[in-house]
Amino acid sequence: MSEKTTEELEREEIRRRRLQRLQALQGSRSPSESSVSPTASSPLSTSNVSPSLNVSTGLSSMTSLSPHNPATNSPTASVERKLSKPVVPGSGKEMQKEKTVNSKKLICDTIERIFCVDIQSLGLEQSLNATNVSGSLNTYDIINQVLMAKLLFNRTTYEKMDVETSQSDSLSLDIMDTSERTISPCKTKTDSDMIATAPFDSSSPASMMLSYLIKCYDRATKEEKTLSKKHEVHLKEVIAQCKELCTSFSALVMRGILTEKSDVEEYSLMLFTYMMNDCLPMGYLHDLVLHCHSESNDQLRIIFQPVLQHLRQTISKATIQQENCIKPLSILVNLCDIKPQGSTLRPICILLTSNENWMPDVDTGRAFTQSSYLGPFMSISPFIEDNKELLSQYTDINMQGAMAVGASLAHVVESAGELLHSLLHSMLRCHESRKDVLMFLEKAVTLNAKRNRLQAEIRLSSSDGFLMYLLQVLQQLCSKVKPNTIDPVYIFHPQARIDVKSNSKLCATDKEVQDLVSELEMTNRFNAEPKFSTECFFLTIHTHHIVLQPWLMVYKRRFKDLRQIKRALTELQTGQDPLVIQALKDRFLLIERQQFNWTSILHDASLLRKTVQFFGLTAEWLLSLIETSQTLEGFVTPPKQFGTLPEYFADDMAEFILFVSDTRPPLLEDVKFIPIASLMVILICNKSFLTNPYLAAKLVEVVYMMVPNSKQHEHLQLLSIFTQNRYAQHLSKALMRIYVECENMGGSNEFYDKFSVRYHISVLIRKLWDQPAHKQFIINESMVKSGDSVFVRFVNMLINDATFLLDESLDTLKAIHDTQVAMRDVALWNAQPQVHLISLISSLQAFYYTVPCVILHPSICHLSILSDTFTFCYSNFNSLGNIN
């Protein structure tokens, strides 16, 4: 017998012995042990897997899996071992055989590199020699057996094997920054500036299994990136199978099937910690979610429901000052964005909305924030009222320092807002979860509907941070809404998500509203369900009403409180209880810090710009409704769809513009302000469009703030509203009409309210007089011979106001003179009570401020306009005979 034949017999004998040992081992195992497989497509099915698998049996039996040769049995032995006798090139059949052998060797080498194994040492010769129907290797079965051998019967050595092999192969994951970072996140961050994650036992069998599978998935991903076109055809499928089985076995590990201990909470904690430490390779989480979903919804729930709860618990303990405080939110966004290719179904979105605390049964906004699943994610608040730790950051600083602190917080707020928008947008795009998301938004708005009242119970409403994120998300969802897609009668729809029945209407009575609703019902207008764009728009504008407007009221009230406390401290400096004075000082410092905090938030350019864009959309939509009643002469009657809208649609818009003009006037140059300015002019020029005189007065103030050169700001774009707008020719007459009508506004303080309104009107008329076109309009109005001429009544009241203001100025000058005379007698002056002296000095300072304002009041300055007008109107002077 030749030497060559002896060598072949030895190899055959080795293969035969290995096969016998493997068959003996499989025969000695229980059916539950021998049938562990993560997929049904494999000969080994998961349906027969026993959760109480005896791990010790696999460990003790592993000694019979490998040959007796120590070199062959070594886990780190060379993977370059030849699979068969080399074939000498010759005939075509031999060349094909050589090609097949090389292909098998390439596949085996790839599998060995990915799983850090020696296939021959595991006794898989039979599987290597077996082929499927197409004549190629059954790689799926080989990979399956490799993982079973590694995880079930060789667990005492696979971790060591993986570490030894990784010394020559960098295992740094794609998303990691450095190769020194390990994949096992057993170290917990405890620094107060970092968001903490719960620890777990990284030395447990399940932890080592999961770590090994994740590393194998990462190596498979790297192998896939290094594929050449030559090997891509047959290796790409093999690598895909490797990744698929890694995720399949990972699911088995996290379900506790491959270990003696079946604590699913602990296994889900491992996955959560890997996520928090960015220790998962690209695509692993995506494949794991889709695999669990394809197997069963129950498997997805078992593995990922605890992960979702860990995310919520972690972010509920985070504050905005901590680094990576929005990391759990980022993970949740990534999970909810996972979907099968070509489908809108998102498994985690469905799992999230099926959560028992997605829509808690509570009756207050505060309870809803605390108990709903998304509540903590929307509570990373920059407000001091929600986070008392922020008080220290606003200590001993001025307004400039407060704005710097606010800018650092605004970056986190904006990032969190973008993530929340992405989260809810993904959930809305999933048809199965869209309805639940809309119900969540509806309930969040409804439970806080009473916030806009004067005496609102803030302790029962949601936190300011929650409402701020709710507002930001809705603003971004409305960014792509078109005016022509909004249904104006949605507020009367039976399925409307907001209730505005008790709100005042722009210019419609209750009877007109009822008639419109009856007409719509008769025409079956409400048969169709509302569109998403309509629901989103009305939810957003209602949220502005219950969130933004109360903020502006609180902001103004705090300035008033600061002035009152400061005045009280000035009057109580001497002769008062020191405890009272100290209490007032502490109160002043607290309100000042809160005001610094609110100023830095409400002055944020991003928040203001997004709000401007939304109100620009609102103005465009309202203009589209108004234009339906336009005639050549102007507007006859307001459309029913416009008149029945809530009054706060225009009121909130005007209030916000006044705030912007005081805080960030450059934003008035935004192109979105053009439709807002046009809407204001139209509403002022048409008396029938507004029934509330105070709203008309507020709109006049808005137009006053928009006028070029008012408050030293140039608004070139808005100048066209007063020069080229086709409605502007009615503006001067409308202003004179409001000047007259504000004499009786119906309020308890109407006598003093009218002076503020008339001041703005006087400035506007003075500005319009400088425009040749508007000057001619005023002159033409003065020549009207009607017995009830607006111009005649305007002139009459203008002269009366000028006379009253001059009388007030003379009385004020007399009071100033008397006080100055009393101050000359130093002894008599100092003998008076201190409180009385402080009062006199305060009054004197007010007098010094009042006199110039009275003398320079536009009502007095407008007497020059009257003289010019009288000159032009000399031929019609008899029409002014009613002036007394």
Side-chain angles (χ1 to χ4, degrees), residues 15 57 92 138 161 163 249 332 445 448 463 475 509 568 583 637 673 689-690 702 705 758 778 825 842 850:
R15 291 193 185 97
T57 303
N138 192 347
M161 178 191 304
V163 172
F249 274 91
L332 183 61
V445 172
N448 294 281
S463 62
Q475 284 178 340
T509 62
T637 56
F673 258 110
F689 279 31
L690 297 174
V702 171
M705 300 302 298
R758 289 178 173 177
I778 296 175
D825 190 346
S842 300
T850 302

Side-chain angles (χ1 to χ4, degrees), residues 568-825:
L569 285 172
T570 304
E571 297 175 355
L572 299 177
Q573 284 297 328
T574 56
Q576 297 294 331
D577 187 357
L579 295 178
V580 175
I581 296 177
Q582 186 61 40
L584 283 176
K585 289 182 178 180
D586 294 340
R587 176 66 177 166
F588 181 86
L589 290 176
L590 176 62
I591 297 178
E592 186 181 44
R593 292 181 188 178
Q594 291 176 336
Q595 197 68 348
F596 281 162
N597 174 245
W598 278 60
T599 300
S600 64
I601 296 172
L602 296 182
H603 288 206
D604 179 57
S606 177
L607 175 62
L608 296 179
R609 190 175 296 107
K610 291 176 182 177
T611 308
V612 167
Q613 292 174 357
F614 174 76
F615 279 127
L617 169 66
T618 305
E620 291 179 8
W621 175 63
L622 292 176
L623 286 174
S624 66
L625 297 180
I626 291 175
E627 289 176 355
T628 59
S629 65
Q630 182 182 0
T631 63
L632 295 176
E633 292 78 15
F635 300 94
V636 182
T637 56
K640 293 181 180 180
Q641 296 177 346
F642 173 83
T644 54
L645 291 175
E647 191 178 87
Y648 69 78
F649 278 32
D651 193 6
D652 293 351
M653 189 186 307
E655 195 69 36
F656 174 73
I657 295 173
L658 294 176
F659 175 76
V660 171
S661 63
D662 287 335
T663 57
R664 286 188 178 270
L667 284 178
L668 296 178
E669 288 292 338
D670 194 298
V671 68
K672 286 293 185 179
F673 258 110
I674 301 301
I676 297 177
S678 299
L679 178 65
M680 300 294 111
V681 172
I682 292 176
L683 295 181
I684 290 174
C685 294
N686 294 271
K687 178 181 179 180
S688 60
F689 279 31
L690 297 174
T691 57
N692 187 348
Y694 283 96
L695 179 56
K698 185 177 292 185
L699 298 185
V700 170
E701 185 179 359
V702 171
V703 176
Y704 160 76
M705 300 302 298
M706 293 181 179
V707 170
N709 294 326
S710 69
K711 302 197 74 173
Q712 309 301 320
H713 297 299
E714 291 280 355
H715 308 306
L716 302 179
Q717 293 184 4
L718 298 178
L719 183 61
S720 61
I721 302 298
F722 306 97
T723 57
Q724 303 174 9
N725 195 293
R726 63 180 180 271
Y727 315 116
Q729 58 180 331
H730 307 287
L731 183 58
S732 55
K733 180 180 178 180
L735 290 173
M736 289 186 285
R737 172 180 56 80
I738 297 175
Y739 191 100
V740 174
E741 292 177 350
C742 70
E743 181 74 21
N744 299 307
M745 299 182 68
S748 59
N749 202 31
E750 63 180 14
F751 179 79
Y752 299 99
D753 291 341
K754 68 180 181 182
F755 288 106
S756 176
V757 179
R758 289 178 173 177
Y759 171 81
H760 298 139
I761 294 176
S762 300
V763 172
L764 286 173
I765 293 180
R766 180 65 187 178
K767 293 294 181 181
L768 294 176
W769 183 259
D770 295 336
Q771 300 290 333
H774 287 282
K775 184 176 183 179
Q776 188 61 43
F777 293 149
I778 296 175
I779 294 173
N780 294 341
E781 183 63 29
S782 68
M783 298 173 66
V784 176
K785 297 183 180 180
S786 174
D788 191 22
S789 174
V790 175
F791 180 78
V792 173
R793 299 175 63 190
F794 165 69
V795 172
N796 187 6
M797 294 184 178
L798 183 64
I799 294 176
N800 290 340
D801 288 345
T803 303
F804 171 78
L805 292 173
L806 288 174
D807 290 342
E808 285 291 311
S809 65
L810 292 175
D811 294 341
T812 302
L813 288 173
K814 183 179 181 301
I816 292 175
H817 176 73
D818 293 343
T819 304
Q820 289 176 338
V821 170
M823 293 176 66
R824 293 174 185 172
D825 190 346

Side-chain angles (χ1 to χ4, degrees), residues 321-339:
Q321 305 100 304
Q322 292 177 323
E323 185 180 349
N324 293 332
C325 60
I326 59 175
K327 180 67 176 179
L329 176 58
S330 177
I331 294 173
L332 183 61
V333 171
N334 293 333
L335 286 172
C336 289
D337 198 41
I338 296 174
K339 64 183 183 68

Side-chain angles (χ1 to χ4, degrees), residues 59 349 690:
L59 289 175
C349 293
L690 297 174

